[in-house]
Amino acid sequence: EMTGVLDATSGKERPTLSGTIGRSAVTVRILSDGVHYGRTEVVAVPAQGVDAIVGVHPSPGGVMGYLRSWLGQDIEIGDEAFDAGYLITGKPEAAAKGLLSAPVRELVVALGPKLAGLTYEKARATVVLHGVETDPTLLGAAIDLASAAAGWSG
């Protein structure tokens, strides 16, 4: 359940939702790349954050997953199923383990194949979903994840 208010705005740009959830400023927007592939981005910025960088991305599995984990210096956090399903990076390494508490991992997993990635960088949590997401349940889950990550205090 979300607590807070998100306001919808639009104009020449694509529609945007923005507001506050807890103590974090949250923005939901639709972006596209040069070939018009759409993605949904949820950004949560806390009033005060941690100076750390963490990335969580679904592992492609197989040889590509192995190579990506080897090249990306995949961090294992001690949850066997989660470690197998996601490539995790962090600086410092302890930041990844700290951010990815059991409740945050549950929120990551809840997004399933829609999740392109979660990043936390210098007090800014970003959740990216594949495609233009309109399902309120999935959008709510992405907002919950971004807010939970932004609420991490180190």
Side-chain angles (χ1 to χ4, degrees):
E1 177 180 311
M2 290 184 284
T3 58
V5 176
L6 293 179
D7 296 316
T9 60
S10 65
K12 289 184 180 181
E13 303 297 321
R14 292 179 177 89
T16 301
L17 295 174
S18 61
T20 57
I21 305 286
R23 295 179 17 184
S24 298
V26 178
T27 304
V28 180
R29 60 190 180 151
I30 305 301
L31 302 171
S32 62
D33 61 18
V35 293
H36 306 290
Y37 175 78
R39 64 189 183 280
T40 304
E41 180 183 82
V42 180
V43 177
V45 180
Q48 193 170 13
V50 178
D51 186 17
I53 299 172
V54 177
V56 180
H57 299 87
S59 175
V63 173
M64 288 304 295
Y66 174 77
L67 288 174
R68 285 189 63 193
S69 69
W70 183 69
L71 294 172
Q73 299 175 342
D74 189 29
I75 296 169
E76 292 186 1
I77 58 166
D79 178 329
E80 191 173 313
F82 193 85
D83 289 336
Y86 298 90
L87 297 175
I88 303 163
T89 56
K91 290 184 184 180
E93 185 173 317
K97 294 176 181 179
L99 174 67
L100 294 170
S101 63
V104 171
R105 291 193 309 268
E106 287 175 20
L107 292 168
V108 168
V109 172
L111 289 170
K114 290 298 289 190
L115 179 70
L118 162 67
T119 57
Y120 182 98
E121 187 169 357
K122 298 183 179 162
R124 174 187 171 107
T126 304
V127 174
V128 178
L129 303 176
H130 293 290
V132 176
E133 190 53 60
T134 59
D135 180 330
T137 302
L138 280 171
L139 283 173
I143 291 167
D144 288 345
L145 174 56
S147 298
W152 172 57
S153 60

